[in-house]
């Protein structure tokens, strides 16, 4: 299962990378690596694009995105089901050739192709389309359509919710909302995401009837890096009001208030009495 | 053994309310459940749908303006179409709509709620505080109102008490309550002034105290002048200073505004004790272009506060001058001056009052609490045989009828003790007049339309004659409940017509019934109250005692004059009591307690008579 999820995350990450979101694509690649460190492609993708071994061009990225990754068998899987040694794939890119040992190479089922050497073959294509022995075509980078981008963001958000990482899911949902705010699936995802976030933050806060107190001196507060919303919530903490009371007077949604309170606790700006 | 007949005193203020009682002959304030003496008269439905009353409601008032109701005292008992309400609507932040009978409704949490219901929520909170203090339920209260409140406003306040589960035994004028708190009436007779600058209103009253009657001989003020105006001046000073420094208008941000309002009030209070107050509001706003949040840090001196609010202080004195002049009272006529309201703690105000009246004002009782304490003194007087002062009920305003030329003819003067009655003969004002219209008015104005019209009726079929020849006798009668009966009789024929005017607070009897039953349902829905739990424990003890004694007295009971029928009745009572242990309403539990207590008494007397040993 992890393998499949990791592949989905790689695909979503690729879409994000292509849309210019380096931070979040990186986060998805890291998550994919955490789930399945054996995937060679993920190692490559984890490398910074300006670093050694990193993927620099959009073309390289597009080359990795021909179809839904979840439908692929692992391109690095040996016909007997084993995976090549790490060293054999770590410098892989779409021009890399990997030769399977001839002795163990079985005919590929259901695909009308002659056994070929894998030179010059783009690694993700051959298993789904018959490969003519023609000179490889240079793939033109294409701009993703909004629908495609939306689908992938929804897919990734869903994945993060399943992975119990609602914070990551909500970030993607917000990105998706910029494309199609009223998408029904998006609304459902947001509801689920907010519910999961609420549970997450409340678990960080602890009992809601507990009374928080400011744990640092006034001069230390000024040195913090807070926004005015957090400043407002902090100003309401007087050692008499419970967390539950603070939800009522914050003027913000329960989720926003919980998030701020969880952050303030995490920063040790406030403590539970 | 707790005193079950305790009567609490309540100052239901425009901005803050106080509940008090008398303990060991000393009036004292009952602290609320958050440990404070004052409870803000604010009710809200927070953005997360929770009902808030008091401090919490006040603290979110600016961030949730549409869902926060405050200062309903300025509106209670008034007609929606009245000028005062039209004025109030200009400054209210919460939605107000017209009720079915030209009464006022507040739209809150998707419902249109009457003002007595809103006030009832504050009273209910104070009731709970008192119940926590006494450890048992409290159902009776004396509630104070401004001296200028008319019958409708007073009745609306009573209705609020009823909705909150309080039987309002007496409505007391606020200046009278202040005088009672100082013990005036037993040791001082004569004229005194009450200078009351509260959170939202300013009232100046002159009382004539004589033999238990506290007559309000002059009252006036400004319903829109109070501590909040002083806070606002400080707030503006902070806002403009910040705008000058950072180019940001903090008034556009509700969160910033709420913090500024709280900080301004805090600084103002602090400056009554100190010469300078620091105001630190870190992360007050985030600049619109982004970047780090800005801090507000300023120091406010007492001198600056006085400069910012000098005109407000002067306004109180000019109103005082005007009221005293109208009543033809000179400062030198007054025996005492009492300071009431938190704003009179401000040294500048106290100083100006002293200068104006040329005497040191009484301020030994906390000015925010003095009215509540006076209400407690009166409440105690109603239940104690050794009461120092028992006030008489008086009519708060004059009563009369409209007469020719658009004038008002006063038949019963204000401050007349009730019950009372009065008769006067009028004549027709036009030739061949066969009908007279009796318009019953309440108020002090000589001009009819400047008074409040309580009701009207006609006397018809008069003999056609020249003007002044037909005589009509008009009789006013006010009973001890404050119900006014007015009749008009043709002296020649004896033909009569009449009207009974029951004070109305804006709600009809049916509406009151509906609200009360909704309250009952709410109690049932919210489950068992602490009081119900305590009662159930009492009932459980009684069930145990009766069950223990029953087998021993059963035969004696069967052989007694009550016979087997009595045995059956005891069994039935026991069965009902066992069921009542699972009831939600305290009344159900109380009913069983009473029945079982009687049964137990019967058992004990049977035991004695039959010589059954008691373990």
């Amino acid at each position: 299962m992890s393998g499949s999820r990791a592949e989905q995350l790689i695909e979503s990450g690729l879409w994000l990378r292509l849309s210019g979101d380096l931070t979040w694509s990186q986060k998805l690649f890291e998550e994919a690596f955490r789930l399945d460190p054996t995937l060679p492609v993920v190692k490559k993708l984890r490398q910074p694009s300006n670093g050694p071994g990193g993927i620099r061009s959009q073309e390289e990225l597009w080359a990795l995105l021909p179809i839904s990754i979840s439908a692929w068998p692992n391109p690095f899987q040996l016909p007997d089901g084993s995976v090549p040694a790490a060293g054999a794939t770590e410098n892989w890119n779409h021009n890399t050739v990997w030769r399977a040992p001839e002795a163990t190479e079985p005919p590929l089922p259901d695909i009308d192709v002659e056994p070929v050497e894998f030179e010059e073959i783009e690694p993700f294509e051959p298993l789904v389309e018959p490969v003519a022995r023609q000179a490889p075509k240079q793939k033109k980078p294409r701009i993703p359509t909004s629908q495609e981008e939306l689908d992938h963001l929804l897919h990734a958000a869903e994945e993060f919710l399943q992975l119990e990482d609602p914070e990551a899911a909500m970030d993607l949902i917000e990105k998706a909302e910029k494309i199609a705010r009223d998408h029904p699936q998006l609304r459902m995802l947001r509801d689920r995401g907010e519910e999961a976030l609420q549970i997450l933050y409340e678990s960080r806060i602890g009992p809601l009837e507990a009374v928080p107190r400011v744990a640092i001196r006034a001069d230390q507060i000024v040195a913090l890096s807070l926004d005015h919303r957090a400043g407002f919530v902090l100003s309401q903490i007087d050692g008499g009001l419970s967390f539950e009371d603070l939800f009522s007077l914050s003027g913000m949604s329960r989720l926003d208030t919980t998030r701020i309170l969880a952050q303030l606790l995490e920063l040790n700006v406030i403590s539970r009495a | 053994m707790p005193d079950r007949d305790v009567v609490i005193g309540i100052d239901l203020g425009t901005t803050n309310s106080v509940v008090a009682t008398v303990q060991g002959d000393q009036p004292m304030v009952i602290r609320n459940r958050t440990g404070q003496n004052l409870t803000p008269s604010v009710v809200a439905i927070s953005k997360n749908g929770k009902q808030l009353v008091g401090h919490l409601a006040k603290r979110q008032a600016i961030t949730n303006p549409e869902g926060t109701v405050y200062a309903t005292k300025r509106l209670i008992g008034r007609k929606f179409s009245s000028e005062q309400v039209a004025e109030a609507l200009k400054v209210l932040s919460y939605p107000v709509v017209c009720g079915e009978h030209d009464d006022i409704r507040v739209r809150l949490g998707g419902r249109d709620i009457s003002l007595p219901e809103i006030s009832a929520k504050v009273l209910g909170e104070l009731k709970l505080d008192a119940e926590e203090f006494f450890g048992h339920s409290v159902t009776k209260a004396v509630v104070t109102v401004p001296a200028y409140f008319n019958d409708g406003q007073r009745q609306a306040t009573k209705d609020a008490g009823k909705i909150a589960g309080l039987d309002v035994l007496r409505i007391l004028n606020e200046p009278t309550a202040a005088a009672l708190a100082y013990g005036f009436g037993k040791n001082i007779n004569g004229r005194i002034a009450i200078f009351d600058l509260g959170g939202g209103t300013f009232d100046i009253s002159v009382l004539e105290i004589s033999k238990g009657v506290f007559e309000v001989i002059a009252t006036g003020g400004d319903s829109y002048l109070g501590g909040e105006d002083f806070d606002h001046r400080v707030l503006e000073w902070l806002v403009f200073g910040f705008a000058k420094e950072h180019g940001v208008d903090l008034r556009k941000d509700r969160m910033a505004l709420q913090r500024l309002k709280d900080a301004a009030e805090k600084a103002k209070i602090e400056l009554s004790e100190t010469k300078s107050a620091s105001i630190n509001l870190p992360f007050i706003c985030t600049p619109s272009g982004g970047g780090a949040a800005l801090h507000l840090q300023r120091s406010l001196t007492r001198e600056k506060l006085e400069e910012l609010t000098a005109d407000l202080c002067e306004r109180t004195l000019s109103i005082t001058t005007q009221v005293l002049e109208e009543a033809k009272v000179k400062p030198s006529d007054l025996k005492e001056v009492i300071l009431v309201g938190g704003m009179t703690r401000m040294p500048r105000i106290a100083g100006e009052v002293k200068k104006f009246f040329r005497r040191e004002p009484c301020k030994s009782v906390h000015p925010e609490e003095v009215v509540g304490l006076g209400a407690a003194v009166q409440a105690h007087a109603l239940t104690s045989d050794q009461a120092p002062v028992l006030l008489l009920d008086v009519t708060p305003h004059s009563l009369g009828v409209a007469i020719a030329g658009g004038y008002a003819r006063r038949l019963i003067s204000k401050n007349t003790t009730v019950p009372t009655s009065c008769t006067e003969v009028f004549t027709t004002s036009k030739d061949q007049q066969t009908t007279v219209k009796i318009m019953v008015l309440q108020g002090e104005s000589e001009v009819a339309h400047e008074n409040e019209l309580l009701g009207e009726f006609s006397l018809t079929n008069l003999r056609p004659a020249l003007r002044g020849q037909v005589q009509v006798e008009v009789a006013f009668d006010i009973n001890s409940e404050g119900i006014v009966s007015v009749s008009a009789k043709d002296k020649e024929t004896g033909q009569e017509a009449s009207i009974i005017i029951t004070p109305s607070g804006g709600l009809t009897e049916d509406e009151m019934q509906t609200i009360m039953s909704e309250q009952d349902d709410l109690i049932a829905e919210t489950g068992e109250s602490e009081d119900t739990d305590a009662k159930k424990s009492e009932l459980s003890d009684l069930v145990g005692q009766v069950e223990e004694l029953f087998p021993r007295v059963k035969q004696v009971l069967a052989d007694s004059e009550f016979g087997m029928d009595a045995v059956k009745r005891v069994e039935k009572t026991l069965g009902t009591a066992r069921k009542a242990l699972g009831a939600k309403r305290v009344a159900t539990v109380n009913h069983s307690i009473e029945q079982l207590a009687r049964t137990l008494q019967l058992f004990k007397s049977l035991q004695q008579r039959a010589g059954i040993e008691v373990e």
Side-chain angles (χ1 to χ4, degrees), chain B residues 371-390:
Chain B
V371 171
L373 292 171
V377 169
Q378 176 61 13
H380 183 64
L382 293 173
T383 53
S384 166
D385 295 337
Q386 298 164 347
V389 178
L390 188 62

Side-chain angles (χ1 to χ4, degrees), chain A residues 109-131:
Chain A
D110 302 327
I111 299 172
D112 185 18
V113 289
E114 292 177 31
V116 291
E117 290 187 344
F118 286 89
E119 268 179 35
E120 302 301 321
I121 296 174
E122 291 180 338
F124 293 163
E125 280 192 324
L127 300 182
V128 288
E129 286 178 11
V131 178

Side-chain angles (χ1 to χ4, degrees), chain A residues 221-222 224-229 231-232 235-236 238 241 244-245 247-252 254, chain B residues 46-48 50 52 56 59-60 63 253 255-256 258-259 262 282-286 293 295 297:
Chain A
I221 289 175
V222 181
L224 295 168
S225 174
L226 302 178
D227 71 358
H228 70 290
R229 287 152 58 96
F232 179 78
S235 72
Q236 303 302 309
D238 61 359
L241 298 178
E244 192 64 58
D245 292 336
F247 296 139
S248 298
L249 57 80
S250 72
M252 289 180 263
R254 191 177 176 95
Chain B
S46 71
K47 286 188 174 173
N48 62 4
K50 203 171 166 186
L52 307 173
L56 271 183
R59 286 177 64 170
Q60 54 86 72
T63 56
D253 179 355
M255 282 184 192
Q258 178 79 57
R259 290 177 72 186
D262 295 343
F283 312 104
I284 186 80
C285 76
T286 306
H295 310 314
Q297 284 178 304

Side-chain angles (χ1 to χ4, degrees), chain B residues 4-155:
Chain B
R4 298 272 160 178
D5 288 328
V6 67
V7 183
I8 50 174
I10 292 177
D11 168 13
L12 183 60
T14 307
T15 46
N16 290 302
S17 295
V18 173
V19 57
T21 185
V22 172
Q23 295 275 292
D25 286 337
Q26 284 299 311
M28 60 163 285
V29 170
I30 297 171
R31 287 192 170 178
N32 63 28
R33 282 157 292 153
T34 58
Q36 286 148 309
N37 286 7
L38 307 185
T39 298
S41 310
V42 185
V43 175
I45 300 290
S46 71
K47 286 188 174 173
N48 62 4
K50 203 171 166 186
Q51 180 181 291
L52 307 173
V53 181
H55 285 282
L56 271 183
K58 182 186 172 186
R59 286 177 64 170
Q60 54 86 72
I62 294 179
T63 56
N64 178 25
E66 298 85 7
T68 307
V69 184
Y70 57 90
T72 51
K73 195 174 166 182
R74 289 180 181 140
L75 306 172
I76 197 166
R78 293 191 190 273
K79 303 277 186 199
F80 185 84
S81 56
S82 70
E83 275 179 32
Q84 294 93 335
V85 173
E87 270 310 298
L89 292 184
K90 290 176 190 167
V91 293
L92 288 180
S93 57
Y94 51 88
V96 173
V97 293
C98 185
E100 279 180 28
H101 341 282
D102 196 23
D103 57 325
I104 301 162
R105 301 281 162 131
V106 171
R107 193 155 284 172
L108 187 65
R111 276 185 64 211
D112 290 347
I113 305 175
S114 69
L115 296 183
E117 283 176 273
I118 298 285
S119 294
K121 293 185 192 300
V122 178
L123 289 173
E125 198 71 8
L126 300 173
K127 179 177 183 278
L128 288 173
D129 292 333
E131 286 174 344
E132 173 128 331
F133 175 80
F134 289 111
H136 59 76
S137 69
V138 174
T139 56
K140 291 172 183 165
V142 168
V143 181
T144 62
V145 296
Y148 57 78
F149 259 28
N150 63 25
D151 276 350
Q153 291 168 300
R154 285 163 198 263
Q155 185 58 43

Side-chain angles (χ1 to χ4, degrees), chain B residues 535-608:
Chain B
K535 288 284 180 187
K536 279 183 183 175
S537 168
E538 194 180 331
L539 178 62
S540 178
D541 285 349
L542 278 170
V543 169
Q545 288 179 58
V546 172
E547 279 176 340
E548 193 187 334
L549 278 177
F550 193 33
R552 284 190 271 167
V553 297
K554 199 171 180 176
Q555 196 51 55
V556 183
L557 188 65
D559 295 341
S560 72
E561 57 193 289
F562 313 113
M564 279 309 289
D565 185 45
V567 173
K568 280 180 188 167
R569 267 188 290 168
V570 171
E571 282 168 347
K572 194 180 170 190
T573 303
L574 262 175
T576 308
R578 288 189 199 107
K579 281 182 196 161
L581 286 170
K584 288 180 177 172
R585 297 186 186 194
V586 72
T588 313
V589 182
N590 277 337
H591 177 70
S592 279
I593 287 175
E594 281 169 24
Q595 284 191 320
L596 278 189
R598 279 202 297 272
T599 306
L600 197 62
Q601 208 172 1
L602 172 72
F603 281 7
K604 283 178 180 169
S605 65
L606 280 173
Q607 261 185 324
Q608 279 179 342

Side-chain angles (χ1 to χ4, degrees), chain B residues 462-478:
Chain B
L462 299 175
R463 175 174 62 86
L466 293 176
R467 60 192 285 254
Q469 285 190 353
V470 178
Q471 293 187 332
V472 176
E473 186 180 83
V474 176
F476 270 66
D477 183 78
I478 309 176

Side-chain angles (χ1 to χ4, degrees), chain A residues 99-173:
Chain A
R99 282 175 194 275
E102 284 187 22
T104 57
E105 186 179 14
L108 291 170
D110 302 327
I111 299 172
D112 185 18
V113 289
E114 292 177 31
V116 291
E117 290 187 344
F118 286 89
E119 268 179 35
E120 302 301 321
I121 296 174
E122 291 180 338
F124 293 163
E125 280 192 324
L127 300 182
V128 288
E129 286 178 11
V131 178
R133 293 184 67 98
Q134 294 170 353
K137 288 177 185 172
Q138 186 65 40
K139 240 177 179 294
K140 285 183 183 172
R142 67 186 175 89
I143 306 296
T145 63
S146 297
Q147 186 57 48
E148 283 171 327
E149 208 176 330
L150 180 67
D151 288 346
H152 285 282
L153 287 167
L154 292 175
H155 193 83
E158 174 72 49
E159 189 69 26
F160 271 125
L161 284 177
Q162 285 172 12
L163 292 168
E164 296 180 353
D165 188 349
E167 286 171 305
M170 287 303 289
D171 279 327
L172 295 178
I173 289 165

